[in-house]
Amino acid sequence: MLKLGVQTQNVIGDEAPRQDFARLRRVGFDCADFSLHKYLLNTDIYQMKLNSFFSKTTAELESFFSPHKEAAKQAGVAVHQMHMPYPIYVPKGTKELNEYLWHEVAPKSMELCSFFECKYIVIHGLKLARFLGSEDAEWGETERFIESVTPMAKERGITICIENLYDSIGGHLIEGPCCNAKKAAARIDRINEKYGAEVLGFCLDTGHANLIGLDFEKFITTLGARLKVLHIHDNDGVRDLHQIPFTFTRTRENTSSTDWEGFICGLRKIHFDGVLNFETGPALNAFPKTLHEDVLGFIAKIGRYFAEQLDGEERA
Amino acid sequence: MEIACRSAGIVSAEEPGHGLMEIAEAGFSEVMIDFSAYAEAEALEAFGTEKNMAELSRLPEDVSALWETARPFWEEAKKASLSIGSACAPYLQQDTKRGDLNVLLENLTQESLRICRRVGCRMLVVRPLFAGVARAEAWEVNRSFFLRLAETAKEQDVQILLENQGRNVSGHLIRGICADEDEASRWVDELNAACGDDRFGFCFDVGIAGLLGQDLDAFVRGMGKRIKIVVLSDNDGYGESALLPFTAAVKGDSKTDWPRCIAGLRSIGYRRKLVLQLESTAKSFPFGLRTDVLRMARRVGEFFVEQVGADMEAQLRRYEARVLFGAGNLCRLYGKVFGTAYPPLFVCDNNKALWRQKIEGVEIRSPQALLALPEDCAIVICNVFHCRSIEDQLRGMGLKNPIVVFNNEYLFAKREGNEGLGTGGAGC
């Protein structure tokens, strides 16, 4: 059966990581998606309010995260994937801001990924399509960023994963970077061939995909083995809510308005053998603290359901 | 480029005369007939059931009766001097439970093709079959369906246009058949190859693609010349609707990415048909204002023609030298977009206070400086609001130089306006 993972945001704190990781294991997760981005929030970056977290030396950062690493190991939880802080470039940001993001935050994130013995790091492509006039020009900048960290990835055996993102117009969430699976597949292949290693892969974010009505099955099968990691979560098709799968409906029949059947079918078709990882940390906020462990257990149960479905026969 | 108005929501099936006259009075010379007015999706849903027999009133028991019910539309369109340039075949609701009606739909579509010929209409939009069709079989089922239709279409000299579709997942619309430009272009190409002629083309429904958050520029570029009709409609980004473009706006921003739609159409040199689809808007306005709404729709169509048809660079390329008139934001925009490839000799402005200053590194002079220009030097007006009065001023000065209006303000201004990229997407 496939392993289960969940993001650490809202789940693993800095005060008592040993207790938190133990709880994660207890409710049924084998893996963690380490939310490195919570140490430098996107909302702060956009407002150009940088904290000094990544100004620490690599040794200092490793020292800071040593209790987390040790706690995960003790609990038997593997840090399977992590999320680099984002955005990594602000179009109208100062030169200092962007240089800090690109030359300090990104390489140190790679170092920390290696420190956690984590195989995958998820990055956000640059949101520049409307600014530069085309998606291809936007990808050019994203690729330039990827190239800046790829040698580190190759050296440390890390696969950088690009993720399908959204943009916004009039409050309506629309396609952002990496929403074309065919293009993504070709770009991943080209870069991996260049480096002679699997330095680039894909992270499917089901919530982002649902917001722009992507066809899960088609998207997943187009990516095939390039799909390395998952951000599984649900929403109402309008806002990026990071909620628990199967919890949204739009009709009185109350059937799920997210195409989970297509998701399962796609993963089954590509024989996905990665981790079923949930990016549902924010879902905990809606529940009283005393229920958090039950909520996590429920998410794990949904993970087991997906795993069982994937173990079944391929749908005709 | 032709501009047409879709009849849905404006022209009643029983008394089409008034609605058609309003469309004509608004300045349209062409209308798209919607055959679903005579075989409504709701009536199809109830077909053959005991539920609400009244709903069957607009569903002919014999498909050949479709002509008689649609005939008044044709007669009244002629009276209003409106041509019927395109049509839509009947279709099922997206959340239909009826997977058993594909034969009926095919018969209705065959009849629609015959009616097209009778009314002088050369293009019929036909939605692919989806109800009761397994996803893995969608292409094969539709290939057979469309090729059967192609025989009639050839006899009737009508082109069949496929259209991008959504797929209903318990009330949430996701990308359906032909919503992906690769799939849609493959379907059109393979059908044409099977027919041996260009019997098939594509109708791009901007409303659906916008609702699904698609990259409109990429879709249009991917489809290229296969696109024969662009249906312009807006929605709130949540559910299907047919609003007048630019009316689904929040805090000054439309929910549909019109700049990228225009950019895509411009990039493929689109010069075919634009169809305004504004059923919801037309129905929501008081009856007394409907002609005004339709006039506005016509004007919106003209705006798209201006924006899509404008090839600024081609116009600039024609002249060896150029000066700019108007030292404002549009002038700065010109500098950013074309300043390097087509640098101006100088900029002039009526505001004396600006003379001898610089904008984008170029000197601002009095309009009198234009009198010293050779006659083949173009004057590029960088002012949308006063471009006509400036043109009058220049001609009044006796200038015979070619005049170009820099009309890229919508596309580029919108792009500039998105400099806070990503702020709308907390969490992403």
Side-chain angles (χ1 to χ4, degrees), chain B residues 8-294:
Chain B
I10 301 162
V11 181
S12 89
E14 296 83 6
E15 294 175 33
H18 186 78
L20 287 164
M21 198 55 76
E22 281 185 314
I23 290 173
E25 283 172 4
F28 289 96
S29 56
E30 186 180 318
V31 66
M32 173 189 254
I33 183 170
D34 195 336
F35 287 123
S36 70
Y38 310 99
E40 290 176 326
E42 283 178 11
L44 286 167
E45 202 63 22
F47 180 76
T49 68
E50 289 180 7
K51 183 196 158 211
N52 195 1
M53 291 304 286
E55 287 181 20
L56 297 175
S57 59
R58 295 223 190 104
L59 189 61
E61 286 180 18
D62 174 3
V63 293
S64 63
L66 194 63
W67 165 238
E68 283 311 317
T69 54
R71 187 180 188 136
F73 186 104
W74 174 56
E75 290 168 347
E76 294 296 333
K78 272 198 297 186
K79 282 186 205 165
S81 302
L82 286 169
S83 65
I84 303 173
S86 57
C88 294
Y91 49 83
L92 296 175
Q93 296 172 354
Q94 254 155 357
D95 61 349
T96 183
K97 307 280 190 291
R98 301 296 302 267
D100 59 329
L101 297 179
N102 287 342
V103 172
L104 174 62
L105 263 185
E106 182 170 337
N107 291 338
L108 286 165
T109 306
Q110 295 276 12
E111 187 59 19
S112 300
L113 285 165
R114 286 187 274 272
I115 297 174
C116 279
R117 172 64 175 256
R118 287 184 172 197
V119 302
C121 166
R122 304 291 295 276
M123 289 190 282
L124 180 69
V125 179
V126 182
R127 297 186 183 186
L129 298 176
F130 66 97
V133 178
R135 294 188 62 205
E137 292 165 8
W139 165 238
E140 281 308 319
V141 169
N142 276 291
R143 184 180 186 277
S144 305
F145 166 66
F146 280 115
L147 290 179
R148 287 193 298 274
L149 293 177
E151 291 174 26
T152 309
K154 197 167 189 174
E155 285 166 17
Q156 306 299 325
D157 196 18
V158 175
Q159 191 174 35
I160 296 170
L161 306 187
L162 282 67
E163 190 183 51
N164 47 315
Q165 301 296 300
R167 179 160 68 91
N168 189 296
V169 177
S170 301
H172 178 210
L173 209 63
I174 66 168
R175 300 180 193 195
I177 295 174
C178 290
D180 171 281
E181 63 267 28
D182 289 330
E183 179 183 81
S185 49
R186 183 171 55 80
W187 280 36
V188 171
D189 292 349
E190 290 192 20
L191 287 168
N192 279 334
C195 285
D197 63 10
D198 281 345
R199 188 57 48 200
F200 293 90
F202 198 77
C203 169
F204 177 43
D205 184 336
V206 180
I208 286 287
L211 176 61
L212 296 173
Q214 291 186 251
D215 182 337
L216 304 179
D217 177 46
F219 190 93
V220 170
R221 285 173 195 260
M223 293 307 296
K225 300 289 181 195
R226 299 172 189 89
I227 299 178
K228 309 299 178 191
I229 291 179
V230 174
V231 176
L232 301 170
S233 75
D234 218 334
N235 56 65
D236 63 1
Y238 183 73
E240 263 196 289
S241 193
L243 301 172
L244 178 66
F246 307 112
T247 59
V250 171
K251 294 178 183 170
D253 254 337
S254 175
K255 295 235 172 204
T256 300
D257 197 351
W258 293 112
R260 286 185 66 73
C261 177
I262 292 169
L265 293 170
R266 198 183 273 195
S267 74
I268 65 165
Y270 187 75
R271 296 290 183 274
R272 313 278 300 209
K273 203 183 295 293
L274 298 174
V275 176
L276 273 299
Q277 182 179 357
L278 64 154
E279 178 176 6
S280 308
T281 304
K283 280 180 174 170
S284 71
F285 268 85
F287 203 70
L289 289 174
R290 215 170 61 168
T291 308
D292 300 276
V293 171
L294 288 169

Side-chain angles (χ1 to χ4, degrees), chain A residues 31-305:
Chain A
C31 298
D33 171 358
F34 201 83
S35 306
L36 196 58
H37 60 286
K38 80 169 185 174
Y39 298 92
L40 180 56
L41 294 174
N42 63 330
T43 43
D44 288 343
I45 296 174
Y46 281 126
Q47 290 172 38
M48 303 188 201
K49 286 193 285 185
L50 290 180
N51 61 32
S52 59
F53 189 81
F54 283 91
S55 299
K56 293 183 175 77
T57 64
T58 303
E60 287 169 338
L61 287 168
E62 288 179 357
S63 169
F64 179 85
F65 285 120
S66 283
H68 305 73
K69 183 182 175 180
E70 188 56 31
K73 196 167 272 182
Q74 276 202 354
V77 173
V79 178
H80 171 261
Q81 62 196 77
M82 69 163 46
H83 205 309
M84 187 183 284
Y86 60 90
I88 211 66
Y89 179 78
V90 180
K92 289 288 177 181
T94 61
K95 193 177 170 204
E96 293 73 28
L97 170 75
N98 285 322
E99 285 193 346
Y100 179 73
L101 294 171
W102 203 298
H103 300 303
E104 289 286 327
V105 177
K108 283 176 181 168
S109 299
M110 298 297 289
E111 298 278 14
L112 288 170
C113 189
S114 181
F115 170 72
F116 274 106
E117 295 166 39
C118 172
K119 169 78 180 143
Y120 301 104
I121 187 160
V122 176
I123 64 158
H124 280 193
L126 281 63
K127 288 187 177 180
L128 295 169
R130 274 181 284 158
F131 195 78
L132 297 177
S134 76
E135 192 275 337
D136 285 337
E138 171 185 80
W139 172 257
E141 291 303 300
T142 295
E143 189 167 329
R144 207 159 62 80
F145 168 67
I146 290 169
E147 291 276 3
S148 75
V149 284
T150 306
M152 290 180 80
K154 185 175 179 182
E155 195 183 306
R156 291 160 177 75
I158 296 169
T159 301
I160 301 160
C161 293
I162 49 175
E163 175 184 359
N164 55 303
L165 304 176
Y166 56 81
D167 209 330
S168 170
I169 183 162
H172 176 207
L173 302 187
I174 60 171
E175 270 190 35
C178 303
C179 286
N180 184 318
K182 197 176 158 188
K183 277 188 176 181
R187 289 162 176 171
I188 290 168
D189 290 351
R190 181 170 50 75
I191 290 173
N192 286 344
E193 198 178 320
K194 178 177 168 185
Y195 283 88
E198 223 169 39
V199 290
L200 195 61
F202 202 90
C203 168
L204 170 67
D205 187 299
T206 61
H208 299 172
N210 191 50
L211 289 168
I212 58 160
L214 283 182
D215 182 322
F216 284 158
E217 186 180 333
K218 195 184 279 184
F219 198 86
I220 291 168
T221 50
T222 303
L223 286 171
R226 301 168 193 90
L227 178 60
K228 299 298 180 190
V229 297
L230 298 169
H231 285 168
I232 305 171
H233 58 101
D234 207 352
N235 57 50
D236 59 358
V238 181
R239 289 155 296 183
D240 188 19
L241 300 170
H242 287 261
Q243 295 296 305
I244 302 168
F246 302 107
T247 49
F248 289 91
T249 67
R250 281 207 193 181
T251 60
R252 290 304 301 270
E253 286 86 4
N254 292 325
T255 45
S256 173
S257 55
T258 302
D259 186 19
W260 294 112
E261 193 186 339
F263 172 68
I264 292 166
C265 194
L267 292 181
R268 210 185 263 162
K269 277 188 173 171
I270 66 165
H271 306 292
F272 181 74
D273 61 358
V275 171
L276 292 166
N277 179 71
F278 291 81
E279 205 181 39
T280 47
L284 295 179
N285 291 341
F287 292 88
K289 276 214 163 72
T290 51
L291 290 179
H292 281 194
E293 187 159 332
D294 300 277
V295 175
L296 283 169
F298 179 55
I299 294 168
K301 180 108 184 176
I302 292 170
R304 282 196 290 281
Y305 165 78

Side-chain angles (χ1 to χ4, degrees), chain B residues 288-308:
Chain B
L289 289 174
R290 215 170 61 168
T291 308
D292 300 276
V293 171
L294 288 169
R295 279 199 193 103
M296 187 62 209
R298 170 72 199 180
R299 181 65 198 104
V300 167
E302 288 166 356
F303 172 80
F304 273 93
V305 171
E306 290 160 13
Q307 290 294 323
V308 172

